[in-house]
Amino acid sequence: MVKLRLKRCGRKQRAVYRIVAIDARARREGRDLRKVGFYDPIKNQTYLNVPAILYFLERGAQPTGTVYDILKKAAVFKELRPNEIKFT
């Protein structure tokens, strides 16, 4: 199963995160399938590659809780058909 989740980057005490599509069994810093976004919690900046995110969501990728909140805030789910994403 593929998940959309955060991958930690940056330096000590100054974390930034990449939003990646990754195999669910891989570790947090493991090899990702594709980078689909960027999130900086300190500056509260977000960059999303919406077509790539929709590609993975339409094929069954499950976002983690934090990624779900980021995507919901950016209104990415409005571009999907109803009942297409089920957050578990």
Side-chain angles (χ1 to χ4, degrees):
M1 172 194 279
V2 175
K3 287 205 172 249
L4 295 176
R5 67 182 185 202
L6 297 175
K7 187 174 185 178
R8 192 178 195 277
C9 301
R11 62 176 198 243
K12 187 167 45 171
Q13 301 295 317
R14 181 67 178 86
V16 293
Y17 298 92
R18 285 188 183 138
I19 301 171
V20 296
I22 194 167
D23 184 25
R25 297 169 291 182
R27 58 194 176 132
R28 181 185 71 183
E29 304 302 326
R31 184 172 174 205
D32 51 77
L33 300 172
R34 185 166 181 193
K35 297 172 185 74
V36 295
F38 175 83
Y39 174 60
D40 186 351
I42 296 172
K43 294 181 181 176
N44 203 16
Q45 292 179 335
T46 307
Y47 165 75
L48 300 173
N49 184 352
V50 177
I53 291 171
L54 292 175
Y55 172 83
F56 283 106
L57 289 175
E58 288 169 353
R59 282 154 185 78
Q62 293 293 310
T64 60
T66 307
V67 173
Y68 180 84
D69 293 340
I70 292 169
L71 297 178
K72 186 174 165 187
K73 193 178 207 181
V76 172
F77 296 120
K78 290 182 181 177
E79 299 181 30
L80 283 175
R81 284 180 251 122
N83 299 327
E84 188 137 341
I85 183 73
K86 293 182 175 92
F87 178 67
T88 53

